[in-house]
């Protein structure tokens, strides 16, 4: 279950109705895919994509996505810091950023056109769609682990446009979920 934190208002939102409604107000779709398939999160990418084919096809129809893949990041991923540095500066894309989290956790910061910056901490079972053009950045939690299905509207895939606003520097890239703390 995702959590939302609004640092400027010193507010944390939890619970699916509250989180879903808040994110919907910013054009962000949030769903829980609790009907997980009988396939381990560590299964090969092709197996996972096949297991979730029905859900992926439904999403493709809804959002015009043409391709899906599995991103797999671990502490020993080569050039991890370089890769994470690309995600963690404020940017936007020409297409939606759609992620279904299979394993691990991560932290999206969203910088809306109006209103304060907020953070969304996602975990396994969370599906999130950040609309094209949304200013955002992304960090992993301290365990540096995430595995997620990604969907793309363009076969060229993920291209960030950096804003160079420096806004990201004002926010701690620290996960805050109680479940995360409890697991450590
Ligand atoms: Fe992004």
């Amino acid at each position: 279950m995702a959590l939302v934190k609004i640092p400027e208002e010193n507010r944390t939102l939890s619970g699916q109705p509250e989180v879903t409604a808040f994110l919907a107000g910013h054009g962000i779709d949030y769903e829980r895919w609790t009907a997980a398939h009988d396939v381990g999160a560590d299964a090969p990418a092709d197996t996972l994509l096949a297991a979730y084919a029905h859900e992926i096809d439904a999403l493709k129809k809804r959002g015009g996505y043409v391709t899906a893949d599995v991103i797999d990041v671990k502490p020993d991923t080569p050039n991890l810091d370089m890769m994470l540095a690309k995600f963690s500066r404020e940017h936007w894309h020409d297409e939606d950023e759609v992620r279904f989290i299979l394993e691990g956790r991560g932290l999206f910061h969203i910088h809306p056109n109006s209103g304060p910056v907020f953070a969304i901490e996602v975990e396994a079972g969370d599906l999130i769609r950040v609309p094209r053009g949304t200013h955002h950045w992304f960090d992993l939690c301290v365990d540096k682990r995430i595995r997620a299905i990604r969907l793309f509207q363009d076969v060229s895939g993920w291209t960030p446009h950096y804003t160079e606003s420096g806004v990201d520097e004002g926010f701690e890239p620290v996960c805050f979920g109680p479940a995360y703390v409890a697991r450590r």
Side-chain angles (χ1 to χ4, degrees):
M1 183 67 231
L3 293 168
V4 169
K5 190 170 172 181
I6 311 158
E8 194 180 303
E9 298 177 355
N10 200 20
R11 204 151 64 101
T12 302
L13 311 181
S14 60
Q16 190 161 359
E18 196 179 13
V19 167
T20 306
F22 176 83
L23 295 179
H26 290 280
I28 297 171
D29 293 342
Y30 173 71
E31 292 172 21
R32 284 287 298 170
W33 283 6
T34 46
H37 293 281
D38 189 20
V39 54
D42 57 350
D46 288 350
T47 307
L48 283 161
L49 292 173
Y52 284 94
H54 181 73
E55 287 87 346
I56 290 169
D57 284 347
L59 278 175
K60 281 181 177 172
K61 284 199 187 100
R62 249 163 65 186
Y65 311 111
V66 294
T67 59
D69 73 1
V70 176
I71 184 170
D72 199 353
V73 182
K74 304 171 188 172
D76 62 357
T77 294
N79 302 316
L80 179 62
D81 288 344
M82 231 158 60
M83 178 201 275
L84 295 179
K86 284 190 207 165
F87 302 154
S88 66
R89 285 160 51 216
E90 186 180 69
H91 63 274
W92 55 278
H93 307 278
D94 293 316
E95 60 174 73
D96 299 347
E97 185 156 324
V98 187
R99 302 287 182 268
F100 172 62
I101 314 302
L102 296 158
E103 198 180 343
R105 304 177 72 82
L107 191 66
F108 284 94
H109 274 90
I110 307 290
H111 183 189
N113 288 333
S114 61
V117 169
F118 58 91
I120 313 164
E121 187 173 320
V122 292
E123 66 172 4
D126 289 334
L127 171 78
I128 188 166
R129 184 191 69 91
V130 179
R132 65 182 76 185
T134 305
H135 291 192
H136 67 278
W137 61 96
F138 179 81
D139 294 280
L140 289 181
C141 300
V142 289
D143 60 354
K144 306 248 189 263
R145 174 73 180 127
I146 200 158
R147 195 166 199 220
I149 294 175
R150 308 189 288 187
L151 284 103
F152 298 104
Q153 284 156 327
D154 189 305
V155 285
S156 68
W158 185 80
T159 311
H161 303 293
Y162 294 104
T163 65
E164 308 297 353
S165 69
V167 169
D168 45 278
E169 290 165 22
F171 294 86
E172 285 278 324
V174 177
C175 294
F176 51 89
Y180 179 73
V181 173
R183 273 182 216 153
R184 295 198 66 213

